[in-house]
Amino acid sequence: MPKGDLVISADFGTSGVKVGVVDDDLRLLARATETYPLSLATGGIAEQSPPDWWDALARALATLRDEVPALRDRAAALVFSSQLCGVICTDEQGTPLRPCLTWLDKRAAETGRAMIGGFPSAHGYRIDKLARWLRIANGAPARNGMDPTAKILWIKSQEPEIYRQTRWILDVKDWLLHRATGRFTTCPESANLTWLMDTRPGQEGWSPALSAMTGIALDRMPEMVDGEEVLGPLTKQAAEDLGLAPDTLVLGGTSDVTAAALGSGQVADGALHIAAATSCWIAGFMPGRVLSVASSYATLTSSLAYRPLLIASQENAGSALEWAVRVSGGETEGEALKGAFDNMGAPQEDDPFFLPWLAGERVPVDNDAIRGVFHGLALHHDACALRRAALEGVALNLRWSYGKLMRERAIHKDGPISMVGGVAANAAFAQTVADALNREVWVGEARHAGVLGTATLAAKTLGWAASARDAAATLRTRTTGVFAPDPARVEALAARNARLEKIRRHILKSYP
């Protein structure tokens, strides 16, 4: 058994890292959040500097050492989860050769379309390429260039000197784990989304066939490890940087989507949860691989013994709500954003409709070119009407995706659905989702589900539970709010959704 009785769990998102100190009852004893920059520029550029993530972690731990007595000695394990679809090119020592292309970066869209396209085609993919990807990887690179495959090829063609010097191609968590342990590893979720991984049961691993098809060599890809695997102790330098003991164990960790799944407590096959933060996704573990080419969702191979995790991701949730508040003259800092939706007045029949495609969309339509719309604006509409429309629009966009998923036989179609993430803490949003889906919504440890879910990966190593899955199951009923559908609003939203579906179809036709 490792020394110490606490786990330090760090969840690296797009704008910052949430770090928590968790005990054997999966309770947060203390938490800290530190932000880091995101560099945005025209042309779809969205970059971050990897050392900024590490520095933010060090600052958060400095705060936590002041709050938790003897944290340095009590911390038995350090576990990371992170955003997906980053591309970091490093040298042999793991030093970044350029900033990370984050998941938001879309400069490679044209490169990606060229990679997947050709004649004869279906859904924008050359048929033989699509068939191979679907058979081997249970999916294919998105047309919008956000997946690592297109980004890697963009660097190869546009920054050939960087590519020539690249020894390792890493995702966000991969780089952090190297900084912590000196090892180059990745999780199956990150590997899956490079579309260079064979995800067929019993054949999981890097795929020579997909490597040959894309022209991306596998010798630059790190070793895949399970999320519960102990990679080793902190290096001496990492321990000094973070103010932790050198014998602190570091585990393989996972992605933000798997961390949220664990944190929601919905770990049974077919049980769904919603994660609503900057973006939004519906996810759940499945008994086998699931795929819908038409609706752009599929299962990822998770870092829990390659267990399939269904993920249907949408680009905008909290980002769209924050935008709507800002353009309607409201404050978006801290609790002010939450309060902006508290006193909007009752919904009106002629409220405008809102499509929250401010950065394109992924599910159920994969198109980075489509953009957001307020439809049906009138002279009497004010800031409150715009905010009501935005709240409703994000919820009905979620319903759009949810309706496609409900066609899958393995999915539980009744009972409560859990919701986590920062936006889930907004009661107005949680109630609107319950009404839009006509399903009871349980809000769990909304803002900290990722941290708690990440911490469950250490449960087996520390003897807290037989597995991360068993530990996570205890979180299911740890709710902070229960939102039952309001029959009147369910009926009203169903009628508005029927109108919105017609509007949506016409608007989609206006884009290539």
Side-chain angles (χ1 to χ4, degrees):
M1 293 290 292
K3 292 186 292 185
D5 62 332
L6 302 175
V7 169
I8 296 174
S9 174
D11 181 21
F12 290 84
T14 307
S15 57
V17 58
K18 297 176 182 177
V19 186
V21 179
V22 182
D23 68 10
D24 58 357
D25 196 33
L26 293 181
R27 298 286 177 181
L28 271 171
L29 302 185
R31 59 183 183 270
T33 299
E34 290 288 338
T35 62
Y36 32 72
L38 174 66
S39 178
L40 300 172
T42 57
I45 294 172
E47 295 183 337
Q48 287 183 321
S49 172
D52 287 342
W53 307 325
W54 188 257
D55 293 344
L57 174 63
R59 294 195 303 272
L61 287 172
T63 299
L64 293 173
R65 285 197 302 274
D66 290 338
E67 296 185 21
V68 181
L71 177 61
R72 182 184 183 279
D73 298 318
R74 294 183 65 191
L78 175 64
V79 196
F80 298 147
S81 61
S82 78
Q83 54 181 297
L84 284 165
C85 293
V87 171
I88 309 162
C89 295
T90 81
D91 63 14
E92 183 77 38
Q93 289 72 43
T95 303
L97 300 173
R98 68 171 327 284
C100 171
L101 278 69
T102 70
W103 68 275
L104 274 171
D105 197 296
K106 297 180 182 176
R107 77 186 78 180
E110 185 176 341
T111 301
R113 284 190 280 268
M115 172 187 64
I116 66 175
F119 181 81
S121 68
H123 302 288
Y125 296 82
R126 201 174 85 185
I127 290 175
D128 62 326
K129 290 183 177 181
L130 180 61
R132 181 172 293 183
W133 262 313
L134 297 184
R135 178 174 59 86
I136 297 174
N138 194 52
R143 293 190 292 267
N144 60 19
M146 293 176 68
D147 290 343
T149 333
K151 293 171 182 171
I152 294 168
L153 292 177
W154 183 91
I155 293 171
K156 186 176 182 180
S157 65
Q158 300 300 314
E159 298 179 352
E161 185 60 22
I162 294 291
Y163 194 78
R164 186 189 65 78
Q165 298 175 52
T166 297
R167 174 61 186 89
W168 298 104
I169 297 174
L170 306 176
D171 204 342
V172 174
K173 181 182 61 60
D174 308 346
W175 184 85
L176 289 161
L177 285 174
H178 174 262
R179 186 72 181 261
T181 67
R183 290 183 59 180
F184 291 100
T185 63
T186 193
C187 61
E189 298 98 327
S190 290
N192 197 156
L193 290 174
T194 65
W195 304 109
L196 299 171
M197 179 186 176
D198 191 331
T199 69
R200 290 173 291 184
Q203 301 184 58
E204 294 93 348
W206 295 114
S207 167
L210 297 180
S211 169
M213 188 170 75
T214 59
I216 300 173
L218 296 180
D219 60 2
R220 302 179 190 221
M221 299 299 165
E223 171 193 7
M224 287 183 222
V225 298
D226 192 83
E228 295 180 90
E229 181 176 334
V230 176
L231 299 188
L234 288 169
T235 66
K236 180 180 178 182
Q237 184 60 58
E240 291 178 2
D241 291 347
L242 303 180
L244 298 175
D247 59 355
T248 305
L249 299 180
V250 182
L251 281 82
T254 192
S255 65
D256 54 0
V257 293
T258 300
L262 292 168
S264 76
Q266 296 286 11
V267 291
D269 283 345
L272 296 182
H273 69 277
I274 297 166
T278 301
S279 59
C280 186
W281 63 83
I282 309 174
F285 291 105
M286 293 289 122
R289 298 196 310 179
V290 171
L291 172 69
S292 172
V293 175
S295 296
S296 302
Y297 65 78
T299 48
L300 289 179
T301 305
S302 80
S303 52
L304 295 176
Y306 299 121
R307 190 178 176 207
L309 176 64
L310 179 65
I311 173 75
S313 180
Q314 296 188 316
E315 295 290 2
N316 297 280
S319 56
L321 298 179
E322 181 179 349
W323 174 86
V325 171
R326 187 172 64 251
V327 299
S328 62
E331 295 293 328
T332 60
E333 296 297 324
E335 290 298 308
L337 178 61
K338 181 180 177 182
F341 295 97
D342 288 344
N343 298 297
M344 300 181 297
Q348 303 298 308
E349 282 190 24
D350 70 341
D351 274 347
F353 293 90
F354 179 62
L355 296 172
W357 304 331
L358 302 178
E361 192 51 280
R362 297 198 78 170
V363 175
V365 168
D366 178 17
N367 189 335
D368 64 303
I370 61 176
R371 288 295 178 263
V373 175
F374 276 114
H375 180 87
L377 290 171
L379 288 172
H380 67 278
H381 286 140
D382 57 10
C384 288
L386 296 182
R387 295 178 193 179
R388 290 195 301 267
L391 200 71
E392 176 191 279
V394 172
L396 291 181
N397 202 56
L398 186 65
R399 172 174 169 155
W400 185 33
S401 175
Y402 175 83
K404 306 295 185 184
L405 294 179
M406 287 300 103
R407 300 173 183 176
E408 299 290 341
R409 284 185 292 179
I411 287 176
H412 299 177
K413 297 178 173 58
D414 53 18
I417 187 166
S418 294
M419 187 159 66
V420 297
V423 179
N426 186 314
F429 180 73
Q431 183 62 57
T432 305
V433 170
D435 297 336
L437 303 186
N438 192 21
R439 193 164 173 179
E440 189 172 83
V441 169
W442 289 6
V443 175
E445 298 275 358
R447 296 184 184 278
H448 313 297
V451 170
L452 291 174
T454 302
T456 66
L457 295 171
K460 181 178 179 180
T461 296
L462 272 62
W464 295 355
S467 67
R469 179 177 179 174
D470 289 347
T474 66
L475 297 172
R476 181 175 178 269
T477 56
R478 199 181 292 181
T479 59
T480 59
V482 175
F483 298 85
D486 177 345
R489 283 298 293 154
V490 168
E491 183 178 355
L493 282 177
R496 289 202 31 105
N497 186 65
R499 291 180 59 195
L500 181 60
E501 286 180 346
K502 296 178 181 178
I503 295 166
R504 187 187 292 128
R505 284 196 297 269
H506 286 294
I507 291 173
L508 287 172
K509 288 178 182 178
S510 70
Y511 285 92

